[in-house]
Amino acid sequence: MTEKIGVLGAKSAQRTGVERVVNAPLPTMYGKFQAVGYLDHDRGDEQVALVYGEIGTDDVLTRLHSECLTGDAFGSQHCECGDQLASALRAVAAEGAGVVVYLRGHEGRGIGLLAKLRAMALQAEGLDTVEANLALGLPVDARDYGVAARVLDDLGVKSVRLMSNNPRKREALLSHGIKVAEQVPLLIPPCDDNITYLRTKRERLDHHLPHLDAVAHGS
């Protein structure tokens, strides 16, 4: 039995690419989704796409959401991630069809949970989010969207209406062969705890956040 498990493990380790593993119904507070689970053999990450309705192939309303434990699960107001996830799920349900690809391994723009917490501690001392990553000797953004493109390929999606304020997501999908018919803003009202973070994203990471102008000039 031990030898058999070893052989199977060796074969599994040699596999590459993204494999669809399971489809399961997922009723949520936003509507009834299908959770489509994938295994990324190249990185070892387990990924999931939440699919709503009959999505078709073209101009599919889509969100690529980077994993954020503090925002998505704990309701942190240090970032806007949790609100963006909720807004994207609501938008897809209201549209009647769409996809939210939840990208695990993207915590802290790809640096991992503990490193993100260390960066947050530095931000509390006065560094911005870019400076904090660099102070730790880490990249400003280490995310790879190749797996998201392969998931969309598997779902039959050829072009998307991308819910994002980040031009790099659009560029990444285009580089992997997914057309972006439109970039749909996903703007969350800022609060006192995240306004500095959001301004840094706009000024240093090129995020399109025009709604910050009113806050910047009105407070």
Side-chain angles (χ1 to χ4, degrees):
M1 176 64 79
T2 303
E3 291 180 1
K4 185 176 181 181
I5 292 173
V7 170
L8 290 174
K11 288 182 179 179
S12 177
Q14 293 172 3
R15 301 187 66 171
T16 60
V18 175
E19 176 190 6
R20 185 193 293 209
V21 176
V22 63
N23 285 34
L26 185 70
T28 75
M29 62 186 295
Y30 311 104
K32 295 182 178 180
F33 288 78
Q34 282 288 318
V36 186
Y38 294 87
L39 179 58
D40 180 354
H41 289 287
D42 296 326
R43 293 175 177 266
D45 292 324
E46 297 173 333
Q47 305 287 4
V48 64
L50 298 185
V51 180
Y52 192 92
E54 299 294 328
I55 59 174
T57 60
D58 297 314
D59 300 350
V60 178
L61 188 63
T62 300
R63 166 74 177 165
L64 308 183
H65 189 84
S66 294
E67 174 183 25
C68 177
L69 179 68
T70 50
D72 299 339
F74 301 152
S76 169
Q77 292 190 326
H78 178 83
C79 62
E80 80 278 43
C81 299
D83 287 334
Q84 283 191 319
L85 178 60
S87 294
L89 291 168
R90 287 192 196 98
V92 163
E95 179 90 358
V99 181
V100 175
V101 182
Y102 193 87
L103 293 164
R104 302 188 66 212
H106 276 205
E107 188 76 56
R109 297 196 302 274
I111 63 174
L113 177 60
L114 295 183
K116 181 179 83 167
L117 294 176
R118 292 188 183 103
M120 288 170 61
L122 291 177
Q123 290 171 64
E125 296 175 2
L127 299 187
D128 68 30
T129 182
V130 171
E131 294 165 343
N133 280 31
L134 295 176
L136 292 170
L138 298 169
V140 173
D141 193 335
R143 290 174 292 183
D144 182 346
Y145 296 98
V147 65
R150 292 193 290 272
V151 166
L152 292 173
D153 277 334
D154 179 75
L155 294 172
V157 174
K158 299 184 182 302
S159 68
V160 299
R161 290 158 50 225
L162 182 64
M163 288 185 282
S164 178
N165 310 316
N166 183 356
R168 289 183 176 85
K169 287 187 181 181
R170 177 181 181 276
E171 294 163 4
L173 283 184
L174 290 173
S175 71
H176 288 286
I178 302 292
K179 297 178 181 178
V180 180
E182 179 186 1
Q183 191 157 338
V184 180
L186 195 58
L187 304 176
I188 306 300
C191 65
D192 290 343
D193 290 316
N194 66 23
I195 183 63
T196 299
Y197 170 78
L198 292 175
R199 286 173 180 159
T200 300
K201 287 176 74 172
R202 181 172 71 169
E203 294 163 10
R204 304 196 64 178
L205 299 173
D206 300 323
H207 287 223
H208 186 58
L209 299 170
H211 67 311
L212 298 185
D213 289 337
V215 180
H217 299 301
S219 63

